[in-house]
Amino acid sequence: MNPVFRFFSSLRLTVVLLAFSMVLVFFGTLDQVHWGIHETQKRYFESLYVFWQYPLEWPYGSQLRWFHLPLPGGFLLGGLLVINLACGHFRYFKSSWKKIGIILIHGGVVLLIISGFLISFYQEESQMFLDEGGEPVNFSTDFRNNELVIINREDPTVDRVTSIPQSLLKPGRIIDLPDLPLSIRVEAFSENAGAAIGPNLLKHYEHMQTNPQLPAAQKAEVTSALESLREGDALVLDDEGRVVLNKGDLPLQGFASRMRGVLQEQPLTFEQDKVNIPGAVVTVLSETGPIGSWIVSSGFGENIPAQSFSYDGKNYEIEMRFLQHYYPFWIQLQDFSHDKYPGTEIPVNFSSDIVLKNPTTSEDRKVLIYMNHPLRYAGLTFFQQSFANDDTTSILQIVRNPAWTLPYISVALVGIGMLIHFGISLVNFATKQSKKARGATGTTATT
C-alpha cells in the first residue's frame, strides 16, 4: 500500500486530528476573553495555524508572556479530516448493502465540514435600521467592513457609486478607478482612528497634561502628541502621539483644510459591542495631476460637511463609510413591539411589523419578524436583533448564507445513517440470538 495513502487513511490520524480539534476549541475559548467572538473565530477556526500566547493576567504573566504555543487552525484540521475520512472510507469500506448506514454517516460528516468552509467564505452579516413610520429602506450596513466611495449624485433618480474595499487601502498604493478617469493615491490608512480638529485636540492634550494622576505611559503619549501638534504640520498621528504623515505639499481640501483636521490612530478594539473606525488620507489623481487630498473616516457624522470636488464638468463626493449592501426591494417598519413580563422590565418578546415591497415581483405584503422567527427572502435571512431610540427604531440582522441548508442536510444524513446502521445491527443481533435460542431448544429436545 502506498505509504502516503496509508498515512492519510490511518485511524490514528483521525484520533490525533480530533484531539487537536478539542485542544483548539479549548485555547480558542480561553482567548475569546481577549479577542471577542468574531476575532477568535477568524484567528482559531478560519486559519491554517494560530499561536496562543500566555495571558498577561495569569500567574507570572509578565515573565511568561514570551511563551507562544503553535496550534493547527480550523481550516487545516478540517481539510485534513476530510482527506482522512475519504481515504479511510476507500481503505476500509467493503461494498455491501449492510454498509449503507456507514456511507450516509461518512457523507454527512464530510458535508458538515465542507459546509463550515463554505459558510466561512461566503456568509455575510449586516444590519438594517428601520424607524417607525420612516422611509422604506433598501440597504443594510456591515460594521466590520468599510469602503472608500466616490459618489456622483447628478442623476436625481440614482446615485452612481464607485466603491474601493478597505482591503485595498494600503499606504503608497495607487488605485485606478475603472469607471472614472481618476485614480486614488493612499497617503495614510489606519484600521482604527479618530478624526479631530487640530486646535481642539491640542487643547485636549494640554488639559490632560495637567492631570497629576496621569499614568507614566499615557503621559509619554500626551507629551509626544503635544510636540507633534504644536509643530502645526502633523496630519496623522499614531497611537503614541508620533507623526505618521505631515501635511507637506499635499493639496489639502475639505475637513483637513477647512477645520485643520487631524487623524489619530487608535489601538484596535475586539470588544463585542464596539467597532473599529478606519480613517485615511487619500489624494485624487487625474491625468493632469492631483485634484486634492482629503481626510476620510467612517466616523464622520452630520457635523462634518460632505467633501466634494469637480472634474471634467461633473461633481463628486468622496467619503469612507461602513460597507453598504443594496437590495432590489424595500422594507418599511410600521410598528415595533417591545413586550415585557407584567410589572417587570424583563423582555419577553421583540417584534417588527414590516411591509415588504419588491417592484420586480410586484410584492407588497406585511410580514411579522420576531424572536426566533426570522424572515427568509431573496437568499437573505432577517433576524430581529435589537432596537434603539426608545423603542421606535428596530434593528434587523441580515445574513446572506448560500450554504445555510447544508448543515441541516448533513445532520439529517448522519441521523438517518445511524438509524439504518444501528437498525441493521439490531436485526442481526436479534437474528443471532433467535438462532441460538432455537439451537439450544433443539439440543434440549434431542437430549
Side-chain angles (χ1 to χ4, degrees), residues 134-261:
E135 294 293 322
V137 177
N138 71 331
F139 69 90
S140 59
T141 304
D142 181 350
F143 288 98
R144 298 190 186 282
N145 293 293
N146 296 264
E147 59 183 350
L148 176 69
V149 292
I150 309 291
I151 308 174
N152 183 339
R153 302 187 191 275
E154 293 183 341
D155 187 336
T157 61
V158 62
D159 292 340
R160 300 191 180 282
V161 180
T162 300
S163 171
I164 303 170
Q166 173 184 332
S167 58
L168 296 180
L169 301 178
K170 308 292 184 186
R173 174 177 286 184
I174 295 179
I175 305 167
D176 294 325
L177 306 180
D179 299 331
L180 300 173
L182 303 169
S183 57
I184 299 289
R185 184 174 67 214
V186 183
E187 311 291 351
F189 174 76
S190 175
E191 291 186 63
N192 192 25
I197 297 172
N200 292 349
L201 188 62
L202 180 60
K203 290 180 182 176
H204 169 69
Y205 281 127
E206 287 174 340
H207 177 72
M208 286 183 66
Q209 194 182 34
T210 62
N211 182 1
Q213 305 297 325
L214 198 65
Q218 197 172 0
K219 189 172 184 179
E221 294 175 13
V222 170
T223 303
S224 180
L226 284 172
E227 292 175 357
S228 303
L229 291 166
R230 282 169 179 161
E231 290 177 359
D233 197 39
L235 190 59
V236 181
L237 306 179
D238 68 11
D239 59 356
E240 294 183 353
R242 297 170 300 200
V243 177
V244 174
L245 180 69
N246 273 316
K247 297 174 182 175
D249 56 357
L250 290 175
L252 297 177
Q253 296 192 31
F255 172 71
S257 174
R258 292 195 303 267
M259 305 174 77
R260 297 176 63 186

Side-chain angles (χ1 to χ4, degrees), residues 65 74 84 98 117 133 182 208 229 249 253 256 308 338:
R65 188 67 176 160
N84 178 242
K98 295 181 180 178
F117 283 107
L182 303 169
M208 286 183 66
L229 291 166
D249 56 357
Q253 296 192 31
S308 59
H338 177 185

